[in-house]
Amino acid sequence: MKKIFITITGCNHYMGYGVFRRKMELVLKKEPDNEYDHEAIRVELPGIGKVGYVANSNHTVLGDTCSAGRIYDKIGKKAHAKVELITDRGVVARVKG
């Protein structure tokens, strides 16, 4: 699989961006029953739970990272990612696999 980078956003609705550290392992889980976005992919920290979502709007996707819609069919029900960059607008992570 080609390297896929994503933006994690919405973190202020959960634990904020301060919880993230570079090289931190994340779990991505599809939420097909999400009432706001049928391509929603939530982001979880093992042992903590939901900390945000994979960005799925051109207003929230940073740079050339992929939106949830672009990776939705490329991952299974669950995938893993690693934090690469932390900014005040979002977290950039690389999807593993």
Side-chain angles (χ1 to χ4, degrees):
M1 179 190 291
K2 179 183 154 191
K3 286 186 182 179
I4 298 174
F5 293 92
I6 56 171
T7 301
I8 301 163
T9 191
C11 303
N12 289 331
H13 298 287
Y14 303 98
M15 301 186 74
Y17 292 103
V19 71
F20 293 96
R21 300 288 179 263
R22 281 196 78 245
K23 300 187 183 211
M24 180 178 273
E25 298 286 330
L26 306 169
V27 178
L28 310 177
K29 292 185 178 177
K30 290 181 178 178
E31 275 189 2
D33 297 330
N34 185 298
E35 65 181 285
Y36 301 105
D37 182 357
H38 67 279
E39 295 175 322
I41 301 172
R42 79 174 173 264
V43 179
E44 296 182 352
L45 280 174
I48 293 177
K50 184 173 16 176
V51 292
Y53 281 87
V54 176
N56 204 19
S57 162
N58 59 356
H59 299 290
T60 55
V61 171
L62 297 177
D64 290 332
T65 62
C66 294
S67 66
R70 286 181 57 201
I71 69 163
Y72 198 84
D73 292 332
K74 295 178 182 174
I75 64 171
K77 290 181 181 180
K78 179 176 156 182
H80 296 272
K82 185 181 278 191
V83 174
E84 298 286 336
L85 177 69
I86 304 159
T87 76
D88 58 345
R89 291 188 48 225
V91 174
V92 175
R94 182 177 52 85
V95 178
K96 296 171 73 177

